[in-house]
Amino acid sequence: MKTGEIREAFLAFFEEHGHTRVPSSSLVPANDPTLLFTNAGMNQFKDTFLGTDPRPYTRAASSQRCVRAGGKHNDLENVGYTARHHTFFEMLGNFSFGDYFKREAIRFAWTFLTENLGLPPERLWVTVHVSDDEAAKIWTDEIGFPAERLSRLDEDNFWQMGDTGPCGPCSEVFYDHGPEVPGGPPGSEDDDLDRYIEIWNLVFMQYNRDASGEMAPLPKPSVDTGMGLERIAAVLQGVHSNYEIDLFQALIDAAAEVIGVADRSASSLRVIADHIRSCAFLVADGVLPGNEGRGYVLRRILRRAIRHGNKLGASEPFFHRLVAPLVAQMGEAYPELARQQSAIERALLAEEEQFAKTLDHGMAILEEALEGLEGTEIPGEVVFKLYDTYGFPTDLTNDIARERGLTLDLAGYERAMAAQRERSKEGGSFKVDYNATLKLDGETTFTGYESLSGEGRVLALLRDGEPASALGTDESGVLVLDATPFYAESGGQVGDTGYLAGEGVRLEVTDTTKAGKHHLHHVRVLEGEVREGSELAATVDRAVRQRTRLNHSATHLMHAALRRVLGEHVTQKGSLVDSERLRFDFSHGQPVSAAELAEISDLVNAQVRANTPVVTRHMAMDEAMAAGAMALFGEKYGDEVRVLSMGADDFSVELCGGTHVDRTGDIGLFKITSEGGVAAGVRRIEA
């Protein structure tokens, strides 16, 4: 079976068994600051497992695109040197949210592997946790699996989401490549060799661990499983290395042809074939090469691929030419890749051209340092200079060192970095994480679409970020109501301001933000005292809200106009909408010309003059996407979404929870005041 056929067979099997087929989420995790990139199928369901994000289904199946490069989960340095390390991979998974448990999960796995995929049962090996007699009996007594091929392991077979929270034992399925391949079964001394390869992990979430380490049974146990698509493809295609499967062979052949390499076994070709997948998908999901965060991880991967191409003899930009072969392999399963092909190619080419300016100089500096090297360690000052002056990420330098049997003086490099940070230290600002302080069930009911006034009861108070029972005259703090007309900052729109009043107390609301599903009113008590349980009348500043919503609606029209004039590669990278102006950051690789800016302004003002009604609809996420609605990068959406349509012939259709005008004519004159660059591949317009 080809890789694409295996993916479809998995999803179709679980659909037939009552699972909802859920599309892969973005590689940029929504609302999860603990993750750099999506690295497992369960990431998009994390809040569902925790009970804070209920879904309209209790069974799901997905093929999730994942990246492991940077942070805790970092496979970058091993890619190209081993059979199964990748920066990008696909994770097949089936999930139960309080529906079925161990018996069904094990039965599904066994049936799919042995009947649908046709794997010989005698080639499989299973592990369970030492304490999990229930899973062991299901395997041996109900499935009929031989007890002599079942191992009971400890730490390797227990999964937890974090130090606290859902956790439980797991059962792993391994494939035996046969006695001619070195290695022992799971739990043996040489189980890290290649004979027995893990292909599927079934996690049984049945406990909740508290801060003291105590585990209590969950009221609704759940299931989270993961099977690497590339691994199972290697097994089914009878090869030992993931790089020998059909998908990778096609990419390796394409890379060899583009660069002009005859030897298809070169490890650098495996590096390039792996890296084009992670780089292309990261750009498709809104990440662009940069100097920090996700953008810097992308730059590291990209430049490592470019260096390996250079090592193979590439003298011209080549990497961007591999996007088309990748789309041919994966575009059907991931149509967003095909839609953004030209934008991905432009982003990769721009980085190739930028790095080409310093690659040769940096290599010359490194060669010079190596000529006079005493010992086998490259000095930290050299590593730092290559990074600081020539744009060589440390793992790229380490890659070169590894090829030559050398190591890096990382301690010296860190000292040089620390010295530079001291020289350029700047003051920073931070925001209080109210999620860690507020422990409230439910959510704030937002009434501000219909009215700018209302009543609410105080659920919680905070002073200096800590819980308080009351706030008195001239004190400032944060207040949570059960219901409010105040819009909380999100989607680029600033929070509402206004006033709260109750018996003997009056408060000014200076800002409104969000923590989880609660609206936080940042207040100053003008007179009296407010306590938990107080009933308050809430009044939003009407003039400020009105000006803000004019600018927010203008932002939607401008976004649509940008895509019409500059191309569909334009995606929102950030925005700020307040009562005075709008600021919009978007992906585009070059300055917007005066003629293009004029055309954009004309398009927006034409829609303003048309004075069409702004239509708000609530619909399922899938239905909204099918209707052409744009989802914004980095935003998290539920299964039912709010869709805003405005302009003639649905000029703009976006998912948005913000506040807007009733008709486009309410906006008045639209005028762009500035345009400029804010980062590589990112432009900013203010209006």
Side-chain angles (χ1 to χ4, degrees):
M1 293 176 74
K2 290 187 175 181
T3 305
E5 293 170 340
I6 299 168
R7 182 196 299 114
E8 178 56 31
F10 178 90
L11 296 172
F13 172 82
F14 281 100
E15 268 191 317
E16 291 168 5
H17 290 85
H19 293 64
T20 297
R21 186 186 296 220
V22 180
S24 169
S25 64
S26 168
L27 287 171
V28 179
N31 289 3
D32 190 346
T34 66
L35 275 182
L36 190 66
F37 298 115
T38 298
N39 59 28
M42 65 80 62
N43 290 161
Q44 69 166 310
F45 302 116
K46 179 179 176 181
D47 290 343
T48 306
F49 282 121
L50 292 171
T52 60
D53 180 22
R55 305 270 178 138
Y57 45 82
T58 56
R59 298 182 176 194
S62 69
S63 181
Q64 174 65 49
R65 55 185 183 267
C66 301
V67 162
R68 286 186 180 170
K72 176 182 175 183
H73 299 286
N74 183 9
D75 289 342
L76 185 57
E77 68 178 25
N78 292 314
V79 173
Y81 298 102
T82 69
R84 282 173 289 278
H85 277 104
H86 303 290
T87 57
F88 177 98
F89 61 96
E90 290 181 77
M91 186 65 80
L92 303 174
N94 59 289
F95 309 90
S96 163
F97 311 118
D99 187 321
Y100 61 81
F101 200 42
K102 295 179 185 180
R103 176 170 287 103
E104 296 89 342
I106 291 171
R107 174 67 66 183
F108 285 145
W110 181 253
T111 301
F112 182 70
L113 290 175
T114 60
E115 296 181 17
N116 292 69
L117 297 186
L119 291 183
E122 65 273 12
R123 301 295 287 270
L124 300 180
W125 193 288
V126 167
T127 66
V128 297
H129 190 256
V130 289
S131 67
D132 199 352
D133 294 334
E134 180 186 4
K137 287 180 179 178
I138 294 171
W139 277 113
T140 57
D141 298 354
E142 298 183 27
I143 300 297
F145 195 80
E148 62 270 19
R149 292 212 309 275
L150 185 145
S151 301
R152 287 174 173 263
L153 304 180
D154 193 1
E155 293 181 0
D156 287 344
N157 277 75
F158 196 88
W159 180 92
Q160 56 190 41
M161 191 176 288
D163 293 335
T164 61
C167 58
C170 58
S171 179
E172 297 176 324
V173 182
F174 291 75
Y175 181 79
D176 178 4
H177 278 292
E180 66 277 9
V181 179
S188 64
E189 289 185 2
D190 54 354
D191 64 0
D192 58 344
L193 298 179
D194 284 349
R195 176 172 173 179
Y196 294 87
I197 299 301
E198 178 201 335
I199 55 174
W200 207 339
N201 187 13
L202 317 177
V203 176
F204 308 125
M205 296 189 203
Q206 64 185 95
Y207 302 111
N208 186 60
R209 191 195 301 271
D210 64 22
S212 68
E214 291 294 317
M215 292 192 299
L218 286 170
K220 289 186 176 182
S222 297
V223 172
D224 156 29
T225 86
M227 175 163 59
L229 176 59
E230 296 81 4
R231 285 196 178 196
I232 192 64
V235 168
L236 290 170
Q237 293 175 21
V239 295
H240 292 299
S241 169
N242 291 357
Y243 291 99
E244 296 176 52
I245 67 175
D246 63 301
L247 189 156
F248 271 114
Q249 285 298 296
L251 295 176
I252 287 171
D253 287 345
E257 184 176 342
V258 165
I259 298 170
V261 179
D263 180 11
R264 297 297 204 263
S265 66
S267 60
S268 289
L269 287 175
R270 295 196 293 272
V271 171
I272 293 165
D274 171 272
H275 289 8
I276 188 60
R277 298 211 300 166
S278 53
C279 291
F281 274 96
L282 283 170
V283 174
D285 281 340
V287 181
L288 290 171
N291 289 326
E292 57 186 31
R294 297 183 178 101
Y296 185 60
V297 176
L298 172 58
R299 172 163 286 168
R300 287 165 52 201
I301 301 171
L302 222 167
R303 293 191 171 186
R304 186 172 188 254
I306 296 167
R307 207 281 301 182
H308 276 277
N310 179 270
K311 179 185 173 187
L312 292 173
S315 56
E316 298 292 332
F318 72 93
F319 196 54
H320 67 289
R321 295 172 60 188
L322 298 178
V323 178
L326 177 65
V327 170
Q329 291 296 314
M330 303 184 69
E332 184 177 350
Y334 297 98
E336 59 269 40
L337 197 66
R339 284 197 304 269
Q340 299 193 55
Q341 178 177 336
S342 60
I344 297 167
E345 290 170 339
R346 282 194 298 271
L348 300 188
L349 176 59
E351 184 69 8
E352 285 189 89
E353 291 174 338
Q354 182 175 338
F355 190 41
K357 298 173 185 176
T358 59
L359 177 58
D360 289 341
H361 292 301
M363 288 301 297
I365 291 292
L366 181 57
E367 294 294 348
E368 184 181 327
L370 295 182
E371 283 179 13
L373 185 66
E374 295 181 4
T376 60
E377 186 176 73
I378 301 176
E381 310 87 72
V382 174
V383 180
F384 176 74
K385 184 176 182 180
L386 288 170
Y387 161 79
D388 192 46
T389 307
Y390 299 104
F392 278 42
T394 53
D395 37 34
L396 190 154
T397 306
N398 188 53
D399 224 24
I400 301 168
R402 181 176 182 171
E403 294 166 2
R404 305 186 187 197
L406 304 173
T407 60
L408 305 186
D409 172 20
L410 291 176
Y413 165 77
E414 289 296 342
R415 285 194 296 272
M417 278 293 290
Q420 186 199 54
R421 281 193 289 266
E422 280 300 314
R423 289 193 298 269
S424 60
K425 183 179 285 185
E426 295 177 355
S429 62
F430 66 92
K431 293 184 177 180
V432 176
D433 180 9
Y434 291 106
N435 286 294
T437 308
L438 283 169
K439 302 296 181 185
L440 292 174
D441 294 328
E443 59 185 274
T444 301
T445 300
F446 177 59
T447 61
Y449 293 135
E450 300 82 20
S451 175
L452 297 183
S453 60
E455 294 186 351
R457 180 170 54 85
V458 178
L459 300 180
L461 293 165
L462 298 175
R463 182 194 298 110
D464 297 327
E466 297 297 327
S469 58
L471 293 174
T473 303
D474 291 332
E475 284 191 309
S476 296
V478 170
L479 177 154
V480 180
L481 297 173
D482 63 345
T484 183
F486 282 81
Y487 180 82
E489 178 184 350
S490 62
Q493 179 177 332
V494 298
D496 279 334
T497 59
Y499 294 91
L500 300 171
E503 188 173 346
V505 62
R506 189 164 180 266
L507 307 92
E508 179 185 12
V509 179
T510 58
D511 193 11
T512 311
T513 60
K514 260 187 180 178
K517 295 184 177 181
H518 290 282
H519 290 221
L520 310 184
H521 305 76
H522 299 254
V523 300
R524 183 171 67 89
V525 182
L526 302 177
E527 60 178 330
E529 183 181 73
V530 61
R531 291 185 164 275
E532 283 188 28
S534 297
E535 298 285 344
L536 298 176
T539 307
V540 174
D541 187 315
R542 182 178 297 273
V544 172
R545 165 75 83 85
Q546 172 64 6
R547 293 196 300 268
T548 301
R549 67 181 191 148
L550 301 183
N551 284 333
H552 198 161
S553 296
T555 302
H556 280 227
L557 293 178
M558 184 181 72
H559 189 185
L562 283 165
R563 289 171 63 87
R564 279 170 170 75
V565 174
L566 303 180
E568 292 194 358
H569 66 278
V570 169
T571 54
Q572 179 175 330
K573 306 300 292 182
S575 71
L576 174 67
V577 178
D578 61 22
S579 61
E580 302 296 327
R581 59 178 177 142
L582 67 88
R583 188 182 75 204
F584 190 77
D585 297 344
F586 58 97
S587 55
H588 190 57
Q590 59 196 47
V592 184
S593 69
E596 289 169 330
L597 289 173
E599 186 179 355
I600 292 162
S601 294
D602 289 345
L603 280 172
V604 174
N605 283 314
Q607 296 301 325
V608 171
R609 288 193 299 274
N611 195 28
T612 55
V614 173
V615 178
T616 303
R617 292 171 291 168
H618 290 84
M619 60 180 72
M621 183 66 172
D622 291 345
E623 184 184 350
M625 293 293 96
M630 280 192 294
L632 301 186
F633 168 70
E635 289 293 309
K636 182 177 180 181
Y637 301 100
D639 291 298
E640 183 176 272
V641 292
R642 184 171 181 259
V643 181
L644 264 292
S645 304
M646 62 182 73
D649 300 319
D650 284 343
F651 181 79
S652 166
V653 183
E654 287 192 27
L655 308 186
C656 185
T659 63
H660 289 273
V661 296
D662 296 323
R663 305 183 70 90
T664 57
D666 298 343
I667 295 171
L669 177 67
F670 171 80
K671 182 179 180 181
I672 294 174
T673 57
S674 69
E675 189 277 339
V678 292
V682 180
R683 308 297 297 179
R684 171 175 291 174
I685 283 180
E686 296 193 11

